[in-house]
Structure formats: C-alpha cells, structure tokens
Amino acid sequence: MPANRCVVFGCNNFANKSNGISLHYSPKNKQDGDKWKRFVRLHRANFNPPGRFVVCSLHFEEKVFARALHIEGMQRRLLPRATPTIWLPEQQQETSVSDRSRRHALKNILQPAKNVEEEAEQMAANSHLEVDEVED
C-alpha cells in the first residue's frame, strides 16, 4: 500500500498540488535512507519503518529540487542525495528544542554515524571545558 502522509512528527501532510505540497519517498540507498530516518527520529524516537516512507516537500530546502521548466506549479523532483532539514514552525513550538540542539542534531543527521567508542571519547573530551573568570 503506497504511503500517503508525511511521517514527520506533527506534520501528516498529504500531497496537495494546489498548495504546492508533494510527497517524496525515502531513498533506496541505505546510507541516504539512514539520514532521512535520523531526521524523523529527532522527534519520533521509536521511528523504525520496515521499508520506505514519505516526507513532504515542506521539510526540504528549495535548492534541493529540480524542475523540468522553472515555472511555478511545475512538477519538481528531489535532487540525488537530498536530505530533509526543515522543521515547521508549529513543530518547533510543540517541542522545546533549543536552536543549538537543533543545529547539533542536523549536523549529526548529515554526517555518517560514528561508532559508540568514538562518541564516548568525544563526549569525555568536551566535558573538560575551561571556564573564564569574569572581571568586575
């Protein structure tokens, strides 16, 4: 059964040509598909689809789309290796995620997953931050 709704938490958009909303299937390529899953998991921790899933066009930057003709309303397709990166304002208000946390999460989405030992070492190194004294 083909997917007909965006899987991003709080979105649930259908394809709606009159509003310019299109649905895009996750990539078949495992590496690119994992980036899409990490994006969705930012707010849906237990998201683990058995196959492909769809994300609506509102979660992609305009620069990752290609059109046969550059006319508003023409069908557009995602460029290869495009990754969703945009959370809608309503979704940002529903969850209390800081801008810094969001940037860090997006950075992790766009980078390949590291192994657990490397992450633990990096976290340990970051925990020893120096604090500057404030002069009166």
Side-chain angles (χ1 to χ4, degrees), residues 62-101:
E62 190 62 35
K63 67 183 181 183
V64 300
F65 288 101
R67 286 191 169 116
L69 298 173
H70 292 285
I71 300 172
E72 196 63 32
M74 290 294 293
Q75 183 179 15
R76 58 190 185 167
R77 297 189 185 277
L78 284 174
L79 294 172
R81 307 194 83 89
T83 303
T85 57
I86 298 174
W87 288 100
L88 302 177
E90 300 83 26
Q91 294 164 337
Q92 291 174 353
Q93 292 170 1
E94 289 177 9
T95 60
S96 58
V97 178
S98 70
D99 287 339
R100 182 173 184 247
S101 296

Side-chain angles (χ1 to χ4, degrees), residues 29-36 38 81 83 104-116 118-119 122:
N29 172 320
K30 182 175 173 18
Q31 183 180 8
D32 293 336
D34 286 346
K35 289 179 184 180
W36 285 41
R38 285 194 298 264
R81 307 194 83 89
T83 303
H104 180 71
L106 287 174
K107 179 182 172 186
N108 288 339
I109 288 170
L110 298 174
Q111 292 179 350
K114 296 178 181 179
N115 73 33
V116 176
E118 288 176 350
E119 280 189 50
Q122 184 179 10

